[in-house]
């Protein structure tokens, strides 16, 4: 079956540093990936997405990289701020619209 | 524009009792999804409505869970009878089209004691 997984359950970074959160997936036919941020007491919030015809996509302070060869994607957050503290999930969206989530990485930002 | 709203935000019940969770999607969104996160694990799909029809209910854990979306507007998810392992956060999400991004509600934290 399909699975999406994250390499680290927790990540601690210093404020101002860059953060990199990794994710691996198993289905080589997957073609659409999304990163979500979940803050305490809130639902997952869309951050950025990428389709399989791209290997990089940039947003405001965030970049998603997709390596289809090794079935790996990452989320890079530049100049990490305290407000970035949250749980980050990668997810694959299948053709039926269903999201398959990874386990999540909790990002802590130290002042 | 109002987002996806869920009620209640928290529910504490005893094993064997019944609980009903409600989700109001964004107005006009035909696609409505239920997900849950149990014990800090990954967020898992439960089911998908397109209007009032169940498009995919492959994630429903067992027949103690019943989801409805009468009239294709709001949806309810009933757990009867609740068991300890049902504890977790239940999220609802909606989208206008299947290929568009999902908007999530804040979730219902369910605790079964």
């Amino acid at each position: 079956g399909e699975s999406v997984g994250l390499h680290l359950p927790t990540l601690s970074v210093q404020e101002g540093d860059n953060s990199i959160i990794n994710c691996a997936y198993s289905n080589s036919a997957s073609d659409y990936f999304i990163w979500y941020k979940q803050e305490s007491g809130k639902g997952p919030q869309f951050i950025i997405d990428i389709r399989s015809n791209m290997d990089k996509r940039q947003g405001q302070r965030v970049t998603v990289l997709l390596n289809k060869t090794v079935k790996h994607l990452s989320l890079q957050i530049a100049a990490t701020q305290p407000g970035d503290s949250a749980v980050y999930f990668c997810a694959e969206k299948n053709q039926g619209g269903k999201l398959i989530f990874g386990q999540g990485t909790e990002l802590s930002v130290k002042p | 524009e109002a987002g996806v709203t869920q009620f209640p935000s928290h529910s504490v019940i005893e094993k064997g009792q019944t609980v009903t969770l409600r989700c109001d999607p964004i107005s006009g969104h035909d696609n409505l999804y239920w997900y849950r996160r149990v014990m800090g694990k990954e967020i898992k799909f439960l089911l998908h409505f397109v209007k009032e029809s169940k498009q995919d209910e492959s994630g429903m854990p067992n027949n103690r869970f019943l989801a409805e979306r009468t009239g294709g507007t709001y949806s309810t998810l009933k757990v009867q009878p609740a068991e300890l392992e049902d504890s977790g956060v239940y999220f609802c999400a909606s989208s206008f089209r299947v290929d568009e991004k999902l908007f999530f509600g804040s979730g219902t934290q369910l605790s079964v004691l």
Side-chain angles (χ1 to χ4, degrees):
Chain A
E2 299 170 339
S3 69
V4 180
L6 285 164
H7 292 305
L8 287 175
T10 61
L11 176 66
S12 184
V13 300
Q14 203 71 39
E15 182 178 356
D17 286 352
N18 296 334
S19 303
I20 299 176
I21 301 172
N22 295 304
C23 184
Y25 61 95
S26 62
N27 185 0
S28 56
S30 299
D31 63 0
Y32 183 39
F33 303 90
I34 308 135
W35 280 99
Y36 283 90
K37 172 186 180 184
Q38 188 193 354
E39 296 174 275
S40 180
K42 297 182 181 179
Q45 180 185 8
F46 173 92
I47 303 173
I48 191 167
D49 58 359
I50 189 167
R51 295 195 180 271
S52 60
N53 59 354
M54 304 173 71
D55 52 21
K56 180 179 179 178
R57 190 157 188 232
Q58 287 185 294
Q60 186 178 18
R61 285 201 304 120
V62 294
T63 301
V64 56
L65 299 177
L66 175 62
N67 185 329
K68 295 179 286 293
T69 303
V70 296
K71 291 183 282 188
H72 178 273
L73 69 159
S74 66
L75 176 70
Q76 300 179 1
I77 304 173
T80 313
Q81 302 168 0
D84 295 327
S85 295
V87 180
Y88 289 81
F89 293 93
C90 62
E92 170 209 347
K93 194 172 190 189
N94 70 9
Q95 303 255 346
K98 179 166 71 175
L99 288 171
I100 302 164
F101 284 89
Q103 287 198 337
T105 291
E106 183 170 7
L107 175 65
S108 299
V109 182
K110 296 177 288 186
Chain B
E1 175 184 285
V4 177
T5 56
Q6 292 186 245
F7 182 83
S9 58
H10 293 81
S11 180
V12 181
I13 60 172
E14 292 187 351
K15 175 182 171 181
Q17 289 185 321
T18 298
V19 63
T20 300
L21 314 181
R22 174 171 168 144
C23 168
D24 286 75
I26 293 172
S27 178
H29 281 194
D30 288 342
N31 294 277
L32 186 149
Y33 303 81
W34 284 98
Y35 289 83
R36 74 172 178 179
R37 189 180 185 208
V38 174
M39 286 295 292
K41 295 186 178 178
E42 68 268 30
I43 301 171
K44 285 199 168 181
F45 168 84
L46 296 177
L47 88 159
H48 171 203
F49 282 101
V50 177
K51 296 184 180 178
E52 67 274 12
S53 300
K54 292 176 185 174
Q55 183 77 11
D56 181 353
E57 52 184 328
S58 61
M60 294 289 263
N62 51 61
N63 59 9
R64 294 186 295 102
F65 289 75
L66 175 64
E68 294 180 323
R69 194 183 181 195
T70 306
T73 54
Y74 70 91
S75 174
T76 58
L77 179 64
K78 182 162 71 174
V79 186
Q80 179 182 29
E83 298 289 344
L84 300 179
E85 64 265 24
D86 300 332
S87 297
V89 183
Y90 289 76
F91 292 106
C92 176
S94 72
S95 68
F96 179 61
R97 292 188 344 210
V98 163
D99 59 350
E100 293 183 344
K101 73 171 87 167
L102 268 62
F103 294 87
F104 281 82
S106 296
T108 294
Q109 172 80 57
L110 175 64
S111 298
V112 182
L113 307 178

